[in-house]
Amino acid sequence: MTKQDRLDEFLAERDLESVWFARPNSFAWLTGGDNVVDRAGDVGVAAVGYDGDGLRVVTNDIEAQRLRDEELDDDVPVAEFPWYESSLAEAVAERAATPAAADFDVPGFESVDASPLRQPLTDQDVDRYRELGETTARAVEAICAELESTDTEREVASAVRGALDARGIESPVALVGGSERAQKYRHYTPTDAELGDYALVSVTAERDGLHASLTRTVAFDQPEWLPQRHQVAATVEVTALAATRRVAELDGRASDVFDAIRAAYEHLGHPDEWQRHHQGGAAGYAGREWIATPTTDAEIRLPMAFAWNPTVQGAKSEDTVLVDEDGMEVLTETGEWPTQPVMAYDYEAALERPAVLEP
């Protein structure tokens, strides 16, 4: 089913004439373009609408020509309005076929949650995802391979962001935890602390709306407990991926995958770790299209990318993996980082997972 097929179905189900998207991830999902100027905002400078016949974009006269020249296909018409006369929402309301829905606040419009429409991934999405995943991993791993124990967390984060930016990739998440803070916090936002004995580097990267996440571990003087905890986290991750594929076959829900995650933690001797950090979920046109919990009712729809990110105090395992009917494909890998085979718990599945790098 194409993206426009999904929108046709949505319009028919809701008895609507058009649907509009101005949030950056959904704008990119439909157009392949970027409607962001101010990254602090939830809504971009342009909205894309679909009315059953095709796409059209509404934006102000400051942005219109740039979007035509650089962000949109030639066959997507752009309607512009004077920036000083109305807001984007008002301009859309004036031009939209109604009744209508939007993913941002438009007077008189119904609301739409775009995430279900963005799932599963299309073939074009998957091709772009492969490029993003490998490029992101190559940039992050190159930085990690050159780390020294006296580097600060903030220096490493800055280097990672710069390497990604040079490749046209945004970095909404760039976490770096040295040996002290990675053991204390699950979200190790970078500080001026030196890395010390080891470091965790966790990144979520975005390009053309797609998001790829990964974590790499580098040890200069490896703590004796790190290999075991790293192995546990990797085992839980592979279990989550295997469960994802099996649950999809059985038409199950995200909560069923979470049950498998919790069982793996318990089997491996860390029954409470799942309570101390979210475990991840489906990835795509958001860092997580949904995050699994014991009660998450999201449908597992394939093919889809998943970024499960289990943690055990001071250790974490995370990559973005395409799961489909044929198997599992790690998108954020280069073939240059050391790996180790990891078996799932309670499933007949194995996957090569990143090992701890010891420079």
Side-chain angles (χ1 to χ4, degrees):
M1 182 181 291
T2 68
K3 295 176 182 180
Q4 293 195 6
D5 288 338
R6 296 178 202 176
L7 295 176
D8 286 333
E9 192 174 88
F10 172 80
L11 293 177
E13 288 175 352
R14 298 274 288 267
D15 196 22
L16 298 171
E17 294 297 323
S18 65
V19 59
W20 293 80
F21 304 93
R23 294 185 182 275
N25 48 0
S26 291
F27 187 91
W29 170 67
L30 266 185
T31 69
D34 186 352
N35 70 342
V36 176
V37 171
D38 180 359
R39 298 210 169 269
D42 294 331
V43 175
V45 297
V48 58
Y50 179 75
D51 61 4
D53 292 326
L55 302 179
R56 60 182 177 132
V57 167
V58 172
T59 190
N60 64 53
D61 55 1
I62 302 173
E63 309 299 338
Q65 195 58 50
R66 179 180 62 83
L67 294 179
R68 291 188 189 100
D69 292 344
E70 299 180 349
E71 300 294 345
L72 301 171
D73 291 340
D74 293 339
D75 60 351
V76 177
V78 178
E80 57 187 277
F81 62 92
W83 66 267
Y84 51 86
E85 286 189 358
S86 64
S87 67
L88 178 62
E90 292 167 339
V92 167
E94 290 174 1
R95 292 164 174 79
T98 56
D103 72 344
F104 66 118
D105 189 14
V106 179
F109 282 28
E110 296 182 21
S111 63
V112 54
D113 176 6
S115 182
L117 292 170
R118 300 194 298 256
Q119 303 173 58
L121 298 172
T122 66
D123 290 344
Q124 184 181 34
D125 291 334
V126 171
D127 289 341
R128 290 164 56 209
Y129 230 141
R130 289 189 176 109
E131 293 179 6
L132 171 64
E134 181 180 357
T135 304
T136 299
R138 197 168 298 281
V140 173
E141 291 177 2
I143 298 297
C144 288
E146 299 297 324
L147 297 184
E148 298 180 357
S149 63
T150 54
D151 292 334
T152 69
E153 296 169 343
R154 189 166 284 130
E155 287 170 342
V156 177
S158 178
V160 167
R161 289 193 180 99
L164 292 172
D165 184 65
R167 293 162 173 81
I169 299 172
E170 298 289 333
S171 48
V173 178
L175 304 178
V176 180
S179 56
E180 180 179 348
R181 297 181 66 255
Q183 296 178 66
K184 293 175 63 177
Y185 310 114
R186 305 296 163 127
H187 289 154
Y188 24 86
T189 53
T191 70
D192 287 329
E194 293 186 355
L195 300 182
D197 292 343
Y198 84 105
L200 298 181
V201 178
S202 299
V203 173
T204 295
E206 180 270 323
R207 185 170 65 188
D208 298 330
L210 289 168
H211 291 67
S213 299
L214 74 159
T215 293
R216 295 294 181 263
T217 308
V218 181
F220 312 102
D221 185 9
Q222 185 165 202
E224 61 180 18
W225 51 263
L226 181 58
Q228 189 270 342
R229 294 184 194 177
H230 182 84
Q231 179 71 24
V232 169
T235 301
V236 175
E237 183 193 14
V238 176
T239 300
L241 290 164
T244 299
R245 189 160 176 251
R246 181 59 176 156
V247 167
E249 293 174 350
L250 299 175
D251 296 324
R253 292 294 188 264
S255 58
D256 299 315
V257 179
F258 196 88
D259 289 343
I261 291 172
R262 190 158 50 179
Y265 272 119
E266 184 170 358
H267 172 75
L268 295 165
H270 296 269
D272 299 327
E273 285 294 319
W274 67 269
Q275 300 178 47
R276 299 188 171 105
H277 185 242
H278 80 75
Q279 303 300 302
Y285 285 88
R288 300 294 186 274
E289 294 282 6
W290 47 258
I291 290 175
T293 73
T295 59
T296 302
D297 194 45
E299 180 183 359
I300 308 293
R301 304 176 66 189
L302 305 183
M304 196 65 195
F306 293 87
W308 298 108
N309 49 253
T311 61
V312 181
Q313 184 182 8
K316 182 177 182 179
S317 187
E318 176 186 30
D319 267 304
T320 303
V321 180
L322 177 70
V323 180
D324 59 22
E325 294 179 354
D326 297 325
M328 302 179 290
E329 175 188 348
V330 182
L331 299 174
T332 45
E333 71 172 359
T334 63
E336 298 176 3
W337 191 271
T339 63
Q340 57 191 27
V342 176
M343 295 288 298
Y345 165 66
D346 208 27
Y347 292 87
E348 292 185 2
L351 200 63
E352 289 289 326
R353 302 307 303 122
V356 176
L357 178 68
E358 298 185 80

